[in-house]
């Protein structure tokens, strides 16, 4: 099994956004050393919980600081950008780091309604043409002139650079067929709602049409994981993330607490039931048990790669999660 990293540059309680981005860089360097396949930065707008609002900028920094690992976005939110700009940005990244850049894209806004309208400068949002935008971007990656009249007089510079890998994100299966028809990788966000199924992934594989970007179907699955040497330690480190998700379900976006602060939070029986239900999409436990769980799910669903998102409060504990998983699953 390949392992990869998904990072949101979380700003945990008592810490800063600047620190969160520096910690992303530290994580990228470690993941490169440990043998992780890729690291993607998410895109979040309009809050102080995550510092990853410009993943393509962070990707440039991470690619410059690493040697082997693929670097990219998971994902760029297409609704906010022109295909020409997307192509120019990722071709530039690829020119600096040929063969190591991933263009991962999603159809979600990455923020609330106010952020969506601010990013569009109040213009009418165009939500119906996401796949068309992706197709045009892919043409521009190849130095082609799209038929769309907006782009018939434009090449995307720089030209004649290595193609990035292209991945389409999904969390419900709706984009699986499009990813297959367009010949791109499919990245399933299991930690969103736990909706992964053989039906969704088989639908992608069975309909796959090879492209210059990817000659065969590739699937990675993103998991939220908190792990440690023992189950007890993992439970202790996981509670802040459980409470964060609980508060989010109630419409309250807060920063991830310290484990000590989390222990002091008064939880109702209903809260505890909600947290237990949330554990279906937040894998918590001793590292050997988590490794077995990931291997079992790979055997069941047939994906090639597990992409790990982990948000303990402290950077030390977060790096330890990736070290432990690499030890168990990569032998490093």
């Amino acid at each position: 099994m390949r392992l990869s990293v998904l990072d949101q540059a979380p700003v945990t309680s008592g810490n800063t956004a600047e620190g969160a981005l520096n910690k992303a860089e530290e994580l990228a360097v470690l993941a490169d050393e440990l043998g992780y396949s890729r690291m993607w930065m998410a895109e979040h707008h309009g809050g102080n919980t995550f510092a990853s609002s410009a993943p393509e900028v962070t990707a440039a920094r991470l690619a410059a600081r690493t040697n082997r690992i693929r670097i990219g976005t998971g994902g760029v939110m297409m609704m906010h950008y022109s295909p020409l700009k997307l192509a120019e940005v990722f071709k530039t990244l690829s020119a600096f780091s040929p063969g190591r850049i991933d263009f991962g894209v999603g159809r979600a806004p990455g923020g609330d309604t106010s952020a969506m309208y601010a990013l569009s400068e109040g213009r009418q949002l165009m939500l119906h043409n996401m796949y068309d935008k992706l197709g045009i971007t892919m043409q521009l990656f190849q130095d082609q002139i799209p038929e769309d009249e907006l782009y018939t007089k434009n090449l995307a510079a720089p030209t004649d650079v290595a193609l990035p890998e292209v991945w389409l994100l999904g969390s419900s299966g709706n984009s699986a067929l499009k990813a297959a028809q367009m010949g791109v990788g499919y990245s399933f966000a299991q930690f969103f709602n736990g909706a992964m199924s053989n039906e969704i992934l088989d639908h992608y594989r069975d309909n796959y049409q090879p492209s210059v970007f990817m000659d065969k179907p590739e699937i990675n699955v993103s998991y939220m994981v908190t792990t440690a040497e023992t189950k007890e330690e993992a439970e202790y480190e996981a509670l802040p993330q459980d409470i964060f998700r609980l508060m989010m379900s109630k419409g309250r976006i807060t920063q991830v607490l310290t484990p000590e602060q989390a222990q002091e939070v008064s939880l109702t029986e209903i809260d505890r039931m909600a947290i237990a239900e949330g554990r279906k999409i937040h894998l918590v436990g001793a590292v050997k048990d988590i490794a077995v769980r990931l291997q079992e799910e790979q055997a069941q669903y047939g994906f090639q790669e597990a992409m790990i998102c982990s948000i303990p409060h402290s950077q030390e504990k977060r790096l330890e999660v990736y070290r432990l998983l690499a030890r168990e699953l990569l032998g490093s």
Side-chain angles (χ1 to χ4, degrees), residues 63-302:
R65 291 281 288 116
T66 53
N67 300 306
R68 176 202 53 80
I69 192 170
R70 299 190 67 91
I71 298 293
T73 52
V76 163
M77 300 294 100
M78 287 186 289
M79 69 170 63
H80 305 308
Y81 311 105
S82 155
L84 180 59
K85 184 61 175 177
L86 290 171
E88 289 176 339
V89 167
F90 280 82
K91 290 174 83 172
T92 300
L93 289 171
S94 194
F96 277 117
S97 303
R100 293 180 54 215
I101 298 301
D102 294 340
F103 177 64
V105 296
R107 297 175 298 133
D112 61 16
T113 302
S114 62
M116 290 168 62
Y117 278 98
L119 286 163
S120 69
E121 298 181 279
R123 293 187 295 270
Q124 178 66 38
L125 295 167
M126 297 178 65
L127 306 178
H128 64 283
N129 64 342
M130 299 291 188
Y131 298 125
D132 292 338
K133 290 180 76 167
L134 177 55
I136 291 169
T137 305
M138 290 167 63
Q139 287 181 289
L140 292 168
F141 280 153
Q142 299 173 74
D143 298 336
Q144 297 174 357
I145 302 295
E147 293 182 1
D148 189 297
E149 61 182 359
L150 282 175
Y151 306 99
T152 54
K153 297 182 180 180
N154 293 286
L155 280 173
T159 58
D160 298 313
V161 299
L163 293 175
E165 279 192 7
V166 178
W167 291 77
L168 185 59
L169 280 59
S171 61
S172 64
N174 291 336
S175 54
L177 179 59
K178 279 294 184 180
Q181 292 172 337
M182 299 179 84
V184 302
Y186 185 50
S187 180
F188 192 86
Q190 176 69 349
F191 72 99
F192 274 20
N193 55 27
M196 182 167 59
S197 69
N198 286 112
E199 181 182 7
I200 291 171
L201 301 189
D202 286 344
H203 194 49
Y204 166 73
R205 283 184 286 253
D206 292 345
N207 290 280
Y208 192 80
Q209 299 176 21
S211 72
V212 296
F213 294 94
M214 206 169 279
D215 60 6
K216 63 182 187 299
E218 290 282 343
I219 299 169
N220 70 39
V221 178
S222 300
Y223 289 92
M224 178 67 69
V225 176
T226 307
T227 192
E229 290 285 11
T230 67
K231 183 177 186 298
E232 292 73 21
E233 184 182 358
E235 291 283 351
Y236 182 71
E237 294 295 335
L239 184 58
Q241 180 62 209
D242 290 333
I243 292 173
F244 170 80
R245 285 172 167 257
L246 174 68
M247 293 298 105
M248 187 166 59
S249 72
K250 297 180 178 183
R252 294 167 53 193
I253 307 299
T254 61
Q255 294 178 329
V256 173
L257 302 173
T258 67
E260 295 79 11
Q261 290 170 329
Q263 294 295 323
E264 299 300 318
V265 174
S266 178
L267 298 172
T268 67
E269 189 60 31
I270 293 176
D271 289 339
R272 295 186 187 279
M273 291 172 62
I275 286 174
E277 180 69 17
R279 287 294 181 84
K280 293 180 179 178
I281 54 176
H282 179 195
L283 306 188
V284 180
V287 66
K288 291 187 180 299
D289 295 333
I290 296 297
V292 169
R293 169 77 177 271
L294 292 173
Q295 289 169 326
E296 289 175 345
E297 297 218 349
Q298 183 191 32
Q300 178 179 354
Y301 296 110

Side-chain angles (χ1 to χ4, degrees), residues 7-12 15-27 39 41 48-52 58 62 315 318:
D7 190 29
Q8 300 162 315
V11 185
T12 54
N15 292 303
T16 66
E18 180 181 341
L21 291 168
N22 288 328
K23 289 170 184 175
E25 181 180 336
E26 185 180 12
L27 176 55
M39 179 168 171
M41 298 302 300
N48 66 349
T49 306
F50 301 112
S52 186
T58 310
L62 302 188
Q315 177 74 344
R318 188 162 74 130

